[in-house]
């Protein structure tokens, strides 16, 4: 199952709106078939693994990281493919919360005489499929929040200071890898105006990873000459605007190729739950937020951060600046009833700490 999870994770960020499932067919202790959910979400992992195994699937064991589907969608049910191949035993990590499945896949296999084992490596599978789980149960994607800070806790200098280059090459490359495993990269309009980011995956060999670029922009202030807008026809950009954002600005951005979604914005601030629900409605299950201190504090305060990655440089700013995290947000991360520290490592001279929501 660990191998199946690793195999499925290779396509994280490519399979939305479907989960990145891994599946292995094992016969006499030898892996004879492999499958991972294909880019775009189809074919499913089980069908690919069975096809890879061919005749060797008959009488074999299938290890799969999520319950096989049992309903007719754009593809036939994986449970039917498993039965047609003659698989004798299915080991499943996790029951699928999708109401169209929700135990029916396991039941279909058992009724046909297939031995089914559930719950193997369930915790790790839950991490891998958290976006899918939340999309089905909470109607929002999983959110990973990333921040970089100086040794004395600042994310930026003063108002008119140039952009800080906080972390080194190893940490920056780790961020690129994290971007690649998500369906979308999200920033607030403050970051978009201050940094004019491109928000792409920029590592050799990862060219096929093209996350949607999302800007939280209540008043649609995103400049038409920004790098996001001028590249919008090459790589999609979605602006989430307030319900009363100016129509002329919306028309100009749409003309440039930017997609606009409107949500409630009481007192000029976007409703983050509605913004995330809008992303889930677009089929997104994993969002990587690089939106800066204000967005970070709002997401943590609303209980919407599922994973937090904080990169800390050994160099201090040594003057007044913009704190990376408000005291309330740091207190939330330190509260064991809300978050648990799951990684503390070194990337060159920089330190990475990752927390998961309890």
């Amino acid at each position: 199952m660990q191998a199946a999870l690793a195999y499925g994770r290779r396509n994280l960020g490519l399979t939305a709106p479907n989960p990145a499932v891994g599946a292995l067919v094992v016969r006499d202790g030898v892996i004879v078939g492999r499958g991972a959910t294909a880019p775009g979400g189809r074919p499913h992992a089980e069908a690919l693994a069975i096809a890879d195994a061919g005749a060797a699937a008959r009488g074999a064991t299938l290890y799969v990281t999520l319950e096989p589907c049992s309903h007719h969608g754009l593809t036939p049910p994986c449970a039917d493919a498993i039965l047609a191949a003659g698989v004798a035993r299915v080991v499943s990590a996790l029951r699928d919360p999708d109401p169209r499945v929700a135990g029916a896949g396991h039941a279909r296999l058992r009724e046909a005489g297939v031995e089914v084992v559930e719950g193997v490596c369930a915790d790790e599978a839950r991490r891998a499929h958290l976006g899918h789980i939340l999309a089905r149960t909470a109607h929002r994607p999983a959110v990973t929040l990333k921040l970089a800070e100086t040794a004395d806790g600042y994310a930026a200098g003063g108002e008119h200071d140039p952009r800080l280059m906080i972390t080194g090459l190893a940490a920056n490359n780790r961020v690129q890898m994290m971007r690649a495993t998500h369906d979308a990269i999200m920033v607030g309009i403050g970051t978009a105006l201050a940094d004019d980011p491109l928000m792409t995956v920029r590592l050799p060999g990862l060219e096929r990873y093209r996350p949607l670029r999302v800007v939280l922009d209540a008043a649609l202030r995103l400049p038409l000459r920004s790098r996001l807008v001028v590249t919008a026809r090459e790589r999609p950009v979605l602006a989430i605007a307030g319900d009363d954002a100016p129509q002329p600005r919306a028309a100009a951005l749409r003309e440039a190729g930017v997609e606009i979604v409107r949500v409630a914005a009481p007192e000029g601030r976007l409703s983050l739950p509605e913004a995330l629900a809008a992303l889930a409605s677009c089929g997104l299950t994993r969002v990587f937020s690089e939106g800066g201190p204000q967005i970070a504090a709002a997401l943590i305060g609303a209980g919407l951060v599922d994973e937090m990655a904080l990169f800390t440089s050994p160099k201090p700013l040594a003057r007044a600046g913009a704190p990376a995290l408000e005291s309330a947000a740091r207190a939330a991360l330190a509260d064991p009833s809300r978050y648990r520290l799951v990684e503390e490592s070194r990337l060159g001279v920089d330190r990475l700490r990752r927390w998961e929501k309890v």
Side-chain angles (χ1 to χ4, degrees), residues 275-295:
L276 292 177
L279 295 180
S281 296
C282 294
L284 303 176
T285 63
R286 293 171 55 83
V287 172
F288 191 60
S289 176
E290 297 187 77
Q294 289 188 349
I295 296 296

Side-chain angles (χ1 to χ4, degrees), residues 11 14-21 35-46 48 208:
N11 281 352
L14 295 174
T15 65
N18 289 342
V21 174
T37 306
R42 298 177 183 84
H44 290 182
E46 301 94 318
L48 291 171
R208 65 177 180 153

Side-chain angles (χ1 to χ4, degrees), residues 92-126:
S92 168
L94 203 63
R95 182 170 292 197
D96 191 341
D98 189 322
R100 297 171 297 177
V101 187
H106 291 153
R108 171 91 172 88
L109 296 171
R110 287 190 176 106
E111 288 165 3
V114 175
E115 180 187 354
V116 177
V117 178
E118 296 184 50
V120 177
C121 300
D123 288 344
E124 190 169 342
R126 200 168 286 111

Side-chain angles (χ1 to χ4, degrees), residues 101-170:
V101 187
H106 291 153
R108 171 91 172 88
L109 296 171
R110 287 190 176 106
E111 288 165 3
V114 175
E115 180 187 354
V116 177
V117 178
E118 296 184 50
V120 177
C121 300
D123 288 344
E124 190 169 342
R126 200 168 286 111
R127 289 188 185 95
H129 300 315
L130 182 60
H132 171 72
I133 294 167
L134 289 175
R136 298 299 179 272
T137 60
H139 309 294
R140 70 168 179 87
V143 175
T144 300
L145 173 63
K146 169 260 173 181
L147 281 175
E149 65 176 1
T150 60
D152 46 359
Y154 294 105
E159 183 178 355
H160 301 293
D161 284 4
R163 180 182 178 185
L164 285 182
M165 304 302 291
I166 295 175
T167 51
L169 180 62

